[in-house]
Amino acid sequence: MMKKKLLLIIAGTMAIPLFIWGWDRYQDQKIKVTVVSATPLYAREVDAAYGSQKPVRTLKPGEKLKVNRTTYGKDYWALLVETDAGVHGWVASGQQGLTIQ
């Protein structure tokens, strides 16, 4: 009887963070991003936030993006996106050329 309670406690303790992570990811994927003009796509979130490195590629107007994750830094909000072609990269919320809903 004691082992069953212990297993239930352990399972519950492990399930809570997994549920929170899943819910957070679900909320991230509901964000819609529209490319309205040529916009750089960066390899890292910090590069997207500060434009500090050469972009992986340039997104074209009308290109479809799927948001996989979002993250917040000290003074930025960055989104990990995936193009229809399967290219992954980061954009920042303040980048010109994007509309984020």
Side-chain angles (χ1 to χ4, degrees):
M1 187 73 161
M2 188 67 162
K3 281 188 176 182
K4 283 185 178 182
K5 283 186 178 182
L6 182 60
L7 286 175
L8 283 173
I9 291 171
I10 291 171
T13 303
M14 292 173 65
I16 291 170
L18 190 59
F19 174 78
I20 292 170
W21 173 82
W23 181 257
D24 183 53
R25 185 167 171 135
Y26 169 74
Q27 294 292 68
D28 289 349
Q29 292 174 347
K30 288 175 41 176
I31 298 169
K32 303 293 181 211
V33 177
T34 305
V35 182
V36 293
S37 65
T39 304
L41 182 70
Y42 293 93
R44 298 180 322 141
E45 66 186 74
V46 174
D47 297 337
Y50 302 113
S52 55
Q53 296 293 322
K54 185 178 178 183
V56 173
R57 63 174 284 231
T58 300
L59 300 170
K60 296 178 175 97
E63 196 164 354
K64 302 285 187 218
L65 298 178
K66 174 185 165 193
V67 176
N68 288 328
R69 293 293 293 154
T70 65
T71 188
Y72 297 89
K74 181 179 176 196
D75 54 0
Y76 65 86
W77 176 40
L79 300 91
L80 176 61
V81 296
E82 180 180 351
T83 68
D84 281 343
V87 177
H88 291 84
W90 291 89
V91 295
S93 64
Q95 278 181 252
Q96 290 184 344
L98 296 176
T99 301
I100 299 173
Q101 299 175 339

